[in-house]
Amino acid sequence: MANIYSNIFSFNKKILKKTVKILKQGNNVGLPTETVYGLAGNAYSKKAVKGIYKLKKRPNKNPLIVHYISVEGAKRDVFLNEDFFKLYKKFCPGPLTFVLKKKKNSKIVSEVTANLKTVAIRFPNHKIVRAVLQLVKFPLAMPSANISTQLSPTNAYDVFDNFKKKLNIILNGGNSKIGIESTVIDLTKKPKILRPGVISAYEIKKILRKNFSKKRTIIKSPGMLKKHYSPGIPIIIGQKPKNSSQAHIVFGKKHKKTKNNYNLSQKGNLKEAAANLYKTMKKIKKEGYKKIFISKIPNKGPGVAINDRIKRASK
Ligand code: TXA
Ligand code: MG
């Protein structure tokens, strides 16, 4: 029988070389990162970036994150400031994305930033994407590898489910450790969290030692407002299911193990819960449930990011 997953590859030198070649030609590949899997393309190539929007069916008003291997690379495209360096030192490479002012002579194509004067940049912490970034000599525009509004993929097979054979290469880097997307922080003026992630506002404030902007977000991070991260079935928050034919996502020790109970973390660990969130929603959908009920998740640390994703998934 033919292997339907023939475009999913384990990592080795040969496939690394082929991946680099495909990216240099302005084509797209699926790559693992520590947060979720990404759909990558050369951030300096119109062809590559247009390919990303088309594959994801992403509205062109929603800008992409640009991924770098080093500060030197990022310096060519954006103005780095004091807040950036403080946070970089503490959290990078890692699940933190910085919105910074774009340089006039930057080669990042305008489609990446949806014509904004700012760029979102990230230094991912996964050996496979870092190996690719080392070799390509250009930064990678890389949104999560899902169809727009759907759940982000946390393993190579999820990426395959979204794009099938439209990608020549999906590199298999196992399960994403963090499991939800990076924290996005705007550093162009008073710091402001645009998208919560496992690195919390509290942890960031401890490093920056200054107040954050209290202004409400106008559509600065367009992905922030709409329905997003949806598993494709209704989600009801803060209620219990009426019978065992409805799935129930729970958190913590006090919940019994039953057939329709899905515990994000029996230990009550919010990081573990974040890592299990998308995986669990996908599993429930695959098992044929038509509705998901979700119990309250503590709204602190990574819990803020979990609740943000659940709320938007329920829209
Ligand atoms: O963990 C992650 O960040 C993953 C992995 C693959 O790196 N990427 C990811 O990308 O989540 P994406 O495209 O799914 O989400 C990017 C978010 C969107 O909410 C977008 O609106 C925001 O970043 N964004 C991008 N550029 C921006 C900019 N210049 N200003 C404000 N927000 C921006
Ligand atoms: Mg996304």
Side-chain angles (χ1 to χ4, degrees), residues 31-43:
L31 296 179
T33 85
E34 79 280 32
T35 55
V36 298
Y37 275 66
L39 179 64
N42 178 356

Side-chain angles (χ1 to χ4, degrees), residues 43 62 81 85-86 108 121 126 135 152 180 182 202 236 251 257 268-269 273 304:
N62 192 358
N81 57 31
F85 283 109
K86 282 185 191 158
I108 292 178
I121 69 163
H126 188 293
L135 289 181
S152 299
I180 59 170
S182 61
Y202 175 78
I236 293 116
F251 171 82
K257 281 192 183 134
N269 178 309
V304 176

Side-chain angles (χ1 to χ4, degrees), residues 56 58 144 146 152 181 228-229:
K56 274 183 67 86
R58 179 166 173 124
S144 47
N146 53 294
S152 299
E181 304 80 359
H228 211 332
Y229 315 113

Side-chain angles (χ1 to χ4, degrees), residues 21-297:
K21 191 174 157 200
I22 288 178
L23 285 167
K24 282 186 175 161
Q25 290 165 341
N27 294 316
N28 305 121
V29 298
L31 296 179
T33 85
E34 79 280 32
T35 55
V36 298
Y37 275 66
L39 179 64
N42 178 356
Y44 296 158
S45 153
K46 274 206 192 282
K47 177 187 169 195
V49 172
K50 283 185 172 164
I52 292 174
Y53 279 97
K54 192 163 172 224
L55 280 164
K56 274 183 67 86
K57 305 193 176 96
R58 179 166 173 124
N60 58 11
K61 284 190 294 277
N62 192 358
L64 310 176
I65 298 176
V66 182
H67 298 67
Y68 294 88
I69 188 74
S70 69
V71 169
E72 285 64 45
K75 239 181 221 165
R76 279 185 229 133
D77 295 319
V78 294
F79 293 101
L80 303 174
N81 57 31
E82 207 179 308
D83 287 344
F84 164 81
F85 283 109
K86 282 185 191 158
L87 294 173
Y88 179 88
K89 213 171 138 196
K90 173 76 182 170
F91 298 112
C92 295
L96 184 57
T97 295
F98 309 93
V99 173
L100 293 160
K101 286 199 178 104
K102 187 177 170 185
K103 286 191 173 170
K104 278 241 159 65
N105 61 355
S106 156
K107 285 194 285 188
I108 292 178
V109 300
S110 57
E111 285 83 357
V112 167
T113 59
N115 284 317
L116 295 172
K117 290 194 168 73
T118 56
V119 190
I121 69 163
R122 183 163 108 78
F123 305 85
N125 188 14
H126 188 293
K127 81 166 198 230
I128 294 181
V129 67
R130 291 182 64 79
V132 174
L133 282 168
Q134 283 286 6
L135 289 181
V136 286
K137 309 269 191 274
F138 47 74
L140 292 174
M142 187 162 61
S144 47
N146 53 294
I147 308 293
S148 192
T149 78
Q150 298 180 7
L151 283 178
S152 299
T154 53
N155 66 61
Y157 297 91
D158 290 350
V159 180
F160 180 88
D161 284 346
N162 294 331
F163 304 112
K164 305 286 185 315
K165 295 282 165 75
K166 287 182 195 157
L167 297 174
N168 290 323
I169 292 181
I170 299 167
L171 291 184
N172 191 347
N175 287 320
S176 308
K177 257 200 201 137
I178 297 201
I180 59 170
E181 304 80 359
S182 61
T183 307
V184 179
I185 185 166
D186 183 355
L187 295 179
T188 56
K189 33 194 177 291
K190 246 191 188 179
K192 182 171 177 60
I193 305 258
L194 301 180
R195 176 176 75 184
V198 294
I199 298 179
S200 66
Y202 175 78
E203 281 179 280
I204 293 173
K205 275 183 188 159
K206 260 199 329 208
I207 303 298
L208 293 183
R209 296 166 171 279
K210 62 160 94 165
N211 288 326
F212 283 16
S213 167
K214 290 198 178 63
K215 273 198 208 121
R216 291 177 141 245
T217 328
I218 350 147
I219 312 187
K220 267 217 88 181
S221 246
M224 292 296 297
L225 292 181
K226 293 176 216 120
K227 168 183 145 156
H228 211 332
Y229 315 113
S230 167
I233 50 177
I235 291 182
I236 293 116
I237 304 169
Q239 280 180 42
K240 284 186 183 157
K242 290 165 195 73
N243 55 59
S244 62
S245 69
Q246 297 169 326
H248 191 197
I249 293 183
V250 297
F251 171 82
K253 293 190 210 27
K254 65 172 192 280
H255 296 280
K256 276 195 242 117
K257 281 192 183 134
T258 60
K259 194 183 150 277
N260 65 327
N261 258 9
Y262 293 81
N263 203 328
L264 294 179
S265 170
Q266 191 78 42
K267 286 183 286 195
N269 178 309
L270 286 166
K271 267 198 178 160
E272 182 180 55
N276 284 329
L277 181 67
Y278 293 156
K279 207 161 77 182
T280 304
M281 287 184 177
K282 241 170 255 166
K283 191 166 171 217
I284 289 170
K285 170 93 193 289
K286 268 199 185 137
E287 286 175 6
Y289 288 100
K290 297 282 181 275
K291 242 183 204 176
I292 306 180
F293 289 78
I294 306 190
S295 289
K296 274 228 162 83
I297 311 282

